Amino acid sequence: METNVIEQVFGKDVFNDEVMQAKLPKDVYKSWKKTLESGEDLDADIANVVAHAMKEWALDHGATHYTHWFQPMTGVTAEKHDSFLSPATKSKPVLEFSGKELIKGEPDASSFPSGGLRATFEARGYTAWDCTSPAFLQEDAAGVTLCIPTAFCSYTGEALDKKTPLLRSMEAISKQAVRIMKLFGYDDVKKVSCSVGPEQEYFLVDRDKYLQRRDLIFSGRTLFGAAAPKGQELDDHYFGAIKERIAAFMKDLNQELWKLGILSKTQHNEVAPAQHEMAPIFSTANIATDHNQLVMEVMKKVAKRHNMECLLHEKPFAGVNGSGKHNNWSIVTDTGINLMDPGKKPHENTKFLLFLAAVIRAVDEHAELLRLSASSPGNDHRLGANEAPPAIISIFLGEQLEDIIEQIIRGDVSSSIQGSKLDTGVHVLPVLKKDATDRNRTSPFAFTGNKFEFRMLGSSMSISGPNFTLNTMVADVLQDFADELEAADDFDSAVNDLIKRTVTEHQRVIFNGDGYSDDWVTEAEKRGLPNVKSFVEAIPYLTADKTVAMFERQNVLTKTELESRVEINYEIYSKTINIEAKTMIDMAGKQYIPAIIKYVTNLADSINSVKSACPSADISVQTELLTKCSSLLASAQKALANLEKITEQAASKEEGQEQAEFFKDEVFTAMNALRAPIDELEMIVDQSFWPVPTYGDLLFEV
Ligand code: ADP
Ligand code: MG
């Protein structure tokens, strides 16, 4: 029998556990595993043997180069390739790769965003092997390259990337959760890890059309464009039948992901036309983060093969749903207990209720920070708009848990609402067991059975930030809990008291209703929940006193590192809007306005011709159109001049908060003022004059 394609290709390009077991001497493999499990320092001799085996395996698979693959603050991955060629090469090439080369790299740190941590003259930066995430092969026109997942730090040890704080946060939450587990008598638990499953949304558009849109090329989103006659109003795209061309892409994508050991599991059409989603099976947070970066890169690469472009921007099209990422998160012990699993009778599951209380308190206490962790210039178009979770952080627990929380607060916990049977009224259909709780799509932070689903993330963002923030917040509360409970004389009453006190104090963050409604905004304000409207307004929370204290207590980020991240965030925002503004200026000046002038001239010529051919003919339609177009053209020209002026002013503002705020309040407004008349013109100008593909072309002709 032929083997299934998944079995054939899965993990083919990964130096995974199976390969290591086969290639490493037994004792080396054993101590290697021990290092992984205990999280202890890696022995240099072991590293040498692993490096050798890794090199042999990579060479067998055709690799010529290796790279330390890392995740600087740009949000995309970086790599610098070295060939295996040894400097000692004489007549015959010698291919070498030592333990030292495996564990440490030295890319120039000054050309990556460092928020002032590295000046141009202080260039040294190091990459350090993250041995808990497997090495893999990547093939492109340059050949096959061995990619080694690494963390990136400065000469002075500060984190310059997205990976380092994530790894630190995983240690932090593990340490505190183990303390709690000990108190419950689970002495066998040595480590707790975070599981993450990110659902990735994306758009696919035809590449020939994409290449005609400079806005898509430079900024990833359309900066102009009138709505197509059809949008998503019929709800006919969500879960709809997948078109052949898209299906071929998905097939190809799955195979590429499986080769990399990525557990690509589900695929479907999303709400908006041309929008789709892929979800992998969850894995450990750092691996899930590496994999999600790869997913985004592979999506882009495979799309090109099918002459399509994959758009990962949070809002590629105005008026059409944007893309997000649902970050499913739970914590699991090394003995296999999911601490977010309520079990059959959650009201009796004190351990679960304590961890649940910790999450509730963490989210309530650091809501602004969590909001920031999911913010980006692109995601500003979604959060708070009518399609994505609101910018207000609240927790959805569902009927069953909310009922238990109310019982706890009242002081008599006695029951858990149970799921019933679902009767469809049709005999040939099986009777289904219903979950104890329905779902709520409008909540930014929803409990979904045995995990939390953080739904605010933008589609193009690294999932590292939200996860290290979440881990650290929860670790910090757990530390507090452990301190209190370890000191208690009577554990049982202390723990019950702690749970009751915590959920009573933080009940305000629990909300089971419609998160998209205006009533909720008012209600949330009454409850005192923060409503941070934009990315720029959220940035200062990164260096709020309580944030710094928490990150330093958990050894995840220092004040200096946080300050550098504040700078980087402002810089990213200003630069993004600046690129968008300049792209609009370019397109309006070189494409739209000349095209409209041509059309208007053409219209005027035709009026003159008609007039001279037949002086009595009714030319009111042409005249009216000419008047309207000319007036909109004048508005567009005025708005363009204004945008040019404002963008220039922005450049002279002091970098940082002041400049970012100027971009948000002034430049962004001027951009919208230019877009409005051009979009209106798009609806009336003869199609053959229009210089770029329209929304209809992009969204429906894939
Ligand atoms: P949805 O109904 O939200 O679209 P899916 O089942 O498609 O849900 O995706 C849910 C995601 O959550 C998947 O990536 C899945 O692997 C992940 N997931 C499931 N259980 C856990 C868990 N315990 N911890 C983290 N992620 C999980
Ligand atoms: Mg989901």
Side-chain angles (χ1 to χ4, degrees):
M1 204 178 70
E2 229 178 289
T3 46
N4 182 282
V5 58
I6 304 188
E7 289 167 328
Q8 273 173 30
V9 303
F10 192 82
K12 189 170 126 339
D13 292 344
V14 189
F15 190 67
N16 54 22
D17 192 62
E18 206 180 307
V19 183
M20 290 180 97
Q21 196 165 6
K23 302 258 172 202
L24 293 174
K26 253 205 184 90
D27 53 327
V28 173
Y29 176 75
K30 259 202 187 142
S31 43
W32 154 258
K33 284 293 272 188
K34 227 180 110 217
T35 307
L36 274 195
E37 277 152 21
S38 64
E40 279 160 22
D41 292 349
L42 182 71
D43 181 277
D45 292 337
I46 303 281
N48 269 324
V49 183
V50 173
H52 179 75
M54 202 186 269
K55 181 198 72 178
E56 293 297 309
W57 171 82
L59 293 180
D60 282 349
H61 286 75
T64 51
H65 289 69
Y66 69 90
T67 180
H68 275 200
W69 185 78
F70 59 105
Q71 297 165 30
M73 296 302 294
T74 52
V76 291
T77 60
E79 46 198 80
K80 179 185 141 223
H81 298 190
D82 280 289
S83 82
F84 288 110
L85 217 49
S86 151
T89 302
K90 294 192 186 98
S91 53
K92 205 162 164 281
V94 180
L95 303 179
E96 269 182 0
F97 184 54
S98 67
K100 217 173 109 213
E101 286 164 307
L102 168 63
I103 60 179
K104 186 177 130 205
E106 230 182 288
D108 187 331
S110 62
S111 303
F112 292 103
S114 76
L117 282 179
R118 295 274 78 187
T120 353
F121 63 95
E122 302 170 311
R124 230 182 249 282
Y126 295 111
T127 47
W129 182 30
D130 170 14
C131 63
T132 57
S133 181
F136 56 92
L137 300 172
Q138 242 180 351
E139 186 171 4
D140 55 23
V144 180
T145 303
L146 168 68
C147 300
I148 301 153
T150 56
F152 181 41
C153 304
S154 74
Y155 183 66
T156 37
E158 283 113 355
L160 293 175
D161 69 345
K162 308 228 167 203
K163 185 83 174 260
T164 310
L166 179 63
L167 293 170
R168 290 178 186 159
S169 77
M170 288 164 68
E171 280 191 28
I173 196 168
S174 175
K175 187 169 157 199
Q176 302 308 332
V178 167
R179 283 176 71 194
I180 300 280
M181 289 306 277
K182 272 218 164 58
L183 287 163
F184 280 98
Y186 292 87
D187 290 324
D188 54 338
V189 173
K190 300 276 178 281
K191 206 174 124 188
V192 168
S193 56
C194 316
S195 295
V196 173
E199 302 163 46
Q200 176 73 47
E201 292 183 339
Y202 61 98
F203 280 84
L204 287 174
V205 297
D206 183 82
R207 190 161 157 78
D208 293 335
K209 298 196 180 86
Y210 162 89
L211 288 173
Q212 294 172 54
R213 298 274 324 205
R214 289 186 202 162
D215 45 3
L216 286 178
I217 294 174
F218 295 134
S219 72
R221 74 177 180 106
T222 54
L223 299 164
F224 297 96
K230 179 178 191 278
Q232 60 198 46
E233 59 276 67
L234 293 179
D235 290 327
D236 54 352
H237 194 257
Y238 191 57
F239 281 15
I242 299 171
K243 288 181 192 163
E244 277 294 305
R245 190 172 176 193
I246 306 297
F249 161 86
M250 287 179 174
K251 181 179 169 197
D252 216 2
L253 173 69
N254 279 333
Q255 294 218 7
E256 292 300 328
L257 295 178
W258 291 333
K259 279 193 216 164
L260 290 165
I262 297 171
L263 299 148
S264 176
K265 169 86 175 155
T266 61
Q267 58 201 29
H268 61 82
N269 284 351
E270 259 301 326
V271 174
Q275 192 186 28
H276 314 279
E277 182 187 294
M278 190 288 291
I281 294 174
F282 64 92
S283 49
T284 311
N286 63 323
I287 298 177
T289 303
D290 286 359
H291 281 180
N292 184 250
Q293 293 298 125
L294 284 173
V295 163
M296 293 192 284
E297 286 166 19
V298 174
M299 278 178 169
K300 291 218 153 251
K301 195 160 98 179
V302 173
K304 286 191 179 70
R305 270 190 221 156
H306 293 261
N307 200 36
M308 292 190 287
E309 190 67 30
C310 172
L311 307 178
L312 291 168
H313 194 282
E314 284 76 13
K315 194 73 180 173
F317 303 97
V320 170
N321 260 23
S323 299
K325 201 137 47 184
H326 288 177
N327 190 80
N328 295 274
W329 176 94
S330 68
I331 36 180
V332 186
T333 68
D334 54 356
T335 55
I337 306 170
N338 177 358
L339 299 172
M340 291 292 121
D341 188 350
K344 290 220 163 55
K345 294 182 182 162
H347 70 285
E348 290 173 359
N349 190 345
T350 312
K351 172 168 55 56
F352 165 73
L353 292 174
L354 185 67
F355 279 101
L356 179 69
V359 175
I360 293 172
R361 178 176 143 192
V363 171
D364 188 32
E365 278 181 348
H366 297 283
E368 297 96 336
L369 186 67
L370 198 59
R371 193 262 189 245
L372 173 67
S373 79
S375 303
S376 71
N379 220 14
D380 263 8
H381 300 280
R382 297 175 65 244
L383 299 183
N386 252 358
E387 55 176 61
I392 306 163
I393 297 261
S394 65
I395 302 180
F396 169 83
L397 286 182
E399 217 185 329
Q400 187 192 47
L401 290 185
E402 177 146 272
D403 175 60
I404 293 171
I405 297 288
E406 273 161 18
Q407 294 180 49
I408 294 173
I409 293 172
R410 278 204 312 269
D412 58 349
V413 195
S414 59
S415 65
S416 299
I417 299 173
Q418 294 299 320
S420 53
K421 296 245 170 359
L422 180 75
D423 186 1
T424 56
V426 180
H427 292 296
V428 293
L429 293 180
V431 175
L432 304 178
K433 209 170 145 277
K434 258 194 347 189
D435 291 293
T437 289
D438 199 358
R439 289 191 169 231
N440 179 330
R441 286 202 327 135
T442 65
S443 175
F445 201 85
F447 184 75
T448 46
N450 61 357
K451 61 188 191 295
F452 272 101
E453 189 170 341
F454 184 25
R455 304 204 179 109
M456 281 172 97
L457 283 67
S459 49
S460 71
M461 297 174 67
S462 159
I463 61 168
S464 163
N467 283 298
F468 81 65
T469 304
L470 198 52
N471 291 346
T472 311
M473 285 160 42
V474 176
D476 205 45
V477 175
L478 290 177
Q479 174 169 5
D480 217 26
F481 281 8
D483 287 348
E484 180 174 331
L485 294 174
E486 279 167 1
D489 296 327
D490 176 357
F491 175 72
D492 289 341
S493 77
V495 76
N496 286 327
D497 176 60
L498 178 59
I499 294 171
K500 182 176 174 182
R501 192 165 12 103
T502 308
V503 297
T504 309
E505 266 169 39
H506 299 283
Q507 197 189 9
R508 64 173 192 165
V509 77
I510 301 169
F511 176 63
N512 281 350
D514 179 2
Y516 291 1
S517 72
D518 294 335
D519 292 350
W520 169 231
V521 178
T522 323
E523 162 72 15
E525 203 180 327
K526 263 196 232 143
R527 293 189 187 188
L529 298 177
N531 183 359
V532 187
K533 300 257 167 33
S534 67
F535 177 32
V536 171
E537 284 156 281
I539 295 172
Y541 291 101
L542 206 47
T543 40
D545 290 345
K546 67 173 179 184
T547 312
V548 175
M550 173 188 79
F551 276 120
E552 292 202 327
R553 206 164 30 237
Q554 297 308 321
N555 295 317
V556 172
L557 286 169
T558 63
K559 184 155 192 251
T560 317
E561 287 170 327
L562 287 163
E563 281 166 351
S564 80
R565 275 155 209 257
V566 163
E567 260 189 57
I568 292 170
N569 277 329
Y570 283 131
E571 196 180 298
I572 287 172
Y573 185 82
S574 296
K575 285 183 175 166
T576 306
I577 306 299
N578 190 43
I579 292 171
E580 291 184 348
K582 285 196 328 204
T583 305
M584 287 187 86
I585 293 169
D586 184 85
M587 288 175 76
K590 293 193 199 142
Q591 294 188 298
Y592 290 116
I593 291 179
I596 298 156
I597 291 177
K598 258 191 218 143
Y599 173 64
V600 167
T601 312
N602 187 278
L603 204 52
D605 288 348
S606 98
I607 291 175
N608 286 337
S609 327
V610 175
K611 243 195 216 159
S612 60
C614 174
S616 63
D618 180 357
I619 49 161
S620 60
V621 172
Q622 295 95 312
T623 325
E624 205 179 294
L625 199 53
L626 180 60
T627 317
K628 185 148 190 216
C629 286
S630 304
S631 137
L632 283 168
L633 176 62
S635 315
Q637 182 59 41
K638 210 172 124 214
L640 170 61
N642 185 51
L643 180 59
E644 279 173 317
K645 192 184 82 198
I646 304 260
T647 309
E648 238 166 71
Q649 281 173 13
S652 65
K653 298 284 163 207
E654 196 191 326
E655 279 178 21
Q657 187 167 11
E658 189 194 331
Q659 192 177 49
E661 278 170 1
F662 189 85
F663 270 106
K664 174 172 83 68
D665 298 329
E666 309 297 331
V667 180
F668 196 70
T669 312
M671 283 162 59
N672 289 335
L674 173 57
R675 177 175 185 150
I678 305 254
D679 285 1
E680 212 179 321
L681 280 157
E682 187 181 330
M683 304 296 285
I684 48 179
V685 168
D686 179 341
Q687 194 179 305
S688 62
F689 284 80
W690 206 247
V692 297
T694 64
Y695 270 28
D697 301 334
L698 289 162
L699 287 166
F700 292 94
E701 294 179 22
V702 193

